[in-house]
Amino acid sequence: MSIRNLMVNRTFRQICERILYRSIRLPYTPGRTLHLCKTFVLRPDLALRVQDLDVCLRWYHVSPRRGNREYTLPKFSQKNAKETFTPVEALALAKNVKSFSVRGTAWVPDRGMAPIRELAGGMKLTRLTISTFPTLPNPEPRFDKEIVSYLRAVLQAQPLLEDLELPNFFVVVLTDHAFPSTPVTAPLSEEPSPLVIERSDVPNLRSLTATASVAVSFLPVAPKLEKLSISSWGDQIRYLLPYSEHHGHRIRSLGLRSRLKDFAALGDLVKLLSHFSNVETCIFTVWWWPEDRDIGLRETCLDWVSRDIHFLPLLREFEIYSESGNTLNLKLSEEQMMELKRSCPRLESVIDPSGDIWAYRLMANEEEVFRLRHLGRLSSDQQTLLPDIPSPDLPPKTSSSGIWAIWK
């Protein structure tokens, strides 16, 4: 191979590295995360290219044994250097990360996770995902303030943070009865929520993904919040009503994720929508359990969509997704989609549960007469998750038994 070809290949490699290392997502593979740490130590220049980092640190919760020796995490050293790096120290070499997600460990509330909190605190993030968090109040109430203080410390270290995701964080809203027979109608307790967030914690927050019980702590104190996604609300949606009534006018994009059966409590949902009258984009995601496979429930769901969406008069984009595939055959009829347009005159496009994308086309020479136009269909290909691989300190032919079986 000529020198000229070598130079071309070297240039091509640099271009590929700049693209491939911009976003790294290894959410469920702690073994691959360890290999990434080793790569960062050997090639710190690659670590500086990373802007989006999603990794799994599940090894903190396992201590398997190989033979009679307890397994310890490897340390990595640079070429011709005596200095060694732990996995967290290696991840800290990625100094230009803007979007950070750590899975597999409750790194915010755990006392032993201080190195990871310091790692996150040293980044200048605009997006942060915390996927593992204990439910509050804690069985040991004295830990509540400590847990919340850790969360606030992480938030305060990120003054540029615009997008925060807390999808699996729940706050148990206490009721006046220890064991209410009807949780939906049980009166709320006057006890304050154990999650206390202040305006200085989220000065630039624009997008929040959280459960209803957590969102209530952010809505009043995030003045720039304009995108809100409520996940897995169950019967907690009523806890959001007093807050959405006063602060819902700031939201421009609203996401709702609900179990199909929860449509039985449509009253609170309709009230909620009426508080978000300035929403321009609404994304609804429905999921179900086997006992929810009822035609009546399906009709209720889709009837609500076409009947009560008028509470969002400024709506331009409406999307409905069916989790785990559309096995319930949820599909909006043409009549229902035209009803959507009549309810929301500014509506421009709809994505229905079957993945079809529709737009409203104004008929020529006819004012305010629209016809549906099919633009295409969303791809149904699901992303294949990468299998994990052994730790860098194990022989290449090591089987998936032992530590890797535990991590799976």
Side-chain angles (χ1 to χ4, degrees):
M1 182 179 291
S2 66
I3 296 296
R4 180 177 299 176
N5 287 336
L6 283 174
M7 294 302 294
V8 170
N9 289 340
R10 184 178 301 172
T11 302
F12 180 67
R13 184 190 70 180
Q14 292 174 350
I15 294 174
C16 290
E17 289 175 347
R18 186 164 59 249
I19 297 173
L20 295 176
Y21 278 84
R22 182 180 303 164
S23 177
I24 296 179
R25 295 183 175 276
L26 303 171
Y28 309 109
T29 52
R32 290 183 184 273
T33 298
L34 286 176
H35 278 272
L36 177 67
C37 295
K38 183 177 181 180
T39 299
F40 283 175
V41 171
L42 295 176
R43 292 283 307 277
D45 59 307
L46 294 182
L48 294 176
R49 297 192 183 279
V50 180
Q51 298 181 24
D52 180 2
L53 187 59
D54 186 348
V55 292
C56 180
L57 307 187
R58 199 176 303 155
W59 58 70
Y60 275 101
H61 289 307
V62 295
S63 183
R65 297 178 179 274
R66 292 184 294 163
N68 295 323
R69 294 185 303 166
E70 185 172 326
Y71 178 79
T72 57
L73 286 174
K75 291 187 176 182
F76 311 110
S77 59
Q78 295 177 332
K79 293 180 179 179
N80 304 321
K82 295 182 180 180
E83 184 181 6
T84 60
F85 293 77
T86 65
V88 174
E89 291 170 341
L91 291 175
L93 296 174
K95 300 181 183 298
N96 296 321
V97 171
K98 304 299 182 185
S99 174
F100 188 50
S101 175
V102 175
R103 305 173 193 262
T105 180
W107 61 277
V108 170
D110 195 323
R111 291 180 177 180
M113 299 293 104
I116 303 179
R117 288 194 292 274
E118 293 175 3
L119 166 65
M123 296 176 174
K124 297 180 180 179
L125 301 175
T126 58
R127 184 174 183 270
L128 174 63
T129 300
I130 304 174
S131 58
T132 305
F133 211 97
T135 296
L136 296 179
N138 195 280
E140 294 289 339
R142 66 179 183 277
F143 293 142
D144 283 353
K145 291 185 178 181
E146 183 176 284
I147 291 173
V148 174
S149 69
Y150 286 156
L151 175 61
R152 293 189 59 197
V154 170
L155 296 177
Q156 290 169 359
Q158 305 300 334
L160 302 178
L161 189 68
E162 297 181 355
D163 189 341
L164 177 63
E165 296 186 6
L166 300 165
N168 301 311
F169 181 17
F170 291 86
V171 173
V172 177
V173 180
L174 302 177
T175 63
D176 287 340
H177 305 281
F179 301 99
S181 56
T182 55
V184 174
T185 59
L188 296 181
S189 170
E190 295 182 357
E191 291 289 330
S193 170
L195 178 61
V196 179
I197 301 296
E198 296 185 5
R199 184 180 293 257
S200 59
D201 299 336
V202 285
N204 289 301
L205 189 66
R206 298 181 181 275
S207 175
L208 174 67
T209 298
T211 57
S213 59
V214 171
V216 299
S217 296
F218 286 87
L219 262 179
V221 298
K224 296 183 180 181
L225 188 65
E226 59 185 16
K227 182 178 181 180
L228 178 63
S229 298
I230 305 298
S231 60
S232 304
W233 70 62
D235 63 2
Q236 291 188 347
I237 196 165
R238 67 193 180 96
Y239 306 144
L240 192 59
L241 293 176
Y243 300 89
S244 60
E245 183 176 6
H246 293 92
H247 307 284
H249 64 278
R250 293 189 277 107
I251 304 300
R252 296 294 181 269
S253 177
L254 179 66
L256 302 171
R257 178 181 179 272
S258 171
R259 181 184 173 186
L260 186 62
K261 189 176 181 180
D262 288 336
F263 274 101
L266 283 180
D268 285 339
L269 187 55
V270 170
K271 292 178 185 177
L272 184 72
L273 287 180
S274 66
H275 295 165
F276 292 96
S277 57
N278 291 326
V279 163
E280 298 178 359
T281 300
C282 185
I283 302 174
F284 187 81
T285 304
V286 61
W287 61 279
W288 56 86
W289 287 344
E291 58 266 29
D292 296 339
R293 295 178 179 274
D294 183 274
I295 295 179
L297 286 176
R298 282 181 270 173
E299 292 177 348
T300 299
C301 170
L302 298 179
D303 285 345
W304 166 80
V305 168
S306 58
R307 186 185 67 242
D308 295 330
I309 203 68
H310 66 272
F311 286 106
L312 306 177
L314 303 183
L315 190 66
R316 294 181 180 273
E317 301 175 3
F318 190 74
E319 304 173 14
I320 314 174
Y321 296 101
S322 179
E323 282 193 357
S324 303
N326 192 24
T327 57
L328 289 185
N329 296 319
L330 292 173
K331 186 176 179 64
L332 287 171
S333 66
E334 182 174 340
E335 180 182 351
Q336 288 172 322
M337 282 189 281
M338 294 308 297
E339 180 64 27
L340 285 174
K341 180 63 176 177
R342 287 190 288 270
S343 299
C344 306
R346 298 191 183 187
L347 188 62
E348 298 173 356
S349 63
V350 173
I351 299 178
D352 73 11
S354 63
D356 289 316
I357 306 172
W358 301 89
Y360 297 94
R361 182 179 60 181
L362 183 65
M363 298 299 294
N365 302 322
E366 295 188 52
E367 294 184 2
E368 299 184 1
V369 177
F370 293 86
R371 179 169 294 179
L372 276 173
R373 180 184 178 187
H374 187 246
L375 299 182
R377 190 179 181 88
L378 296 177
S379 173
S380 59
D381 295 338
Q382 295 185 354
Q383 184 178 2
T384 303
L385 297 177
L386 289 173
D388 207 359
I389 57 178
S391 169
D393 68 330
L394 296 179
K397 294 185 179 180
T398 301
S399 66
S400 61
S401 60
I403 183 172
W404 307 111
I406 292 177
W407 280 359
K408 286 183 179 180

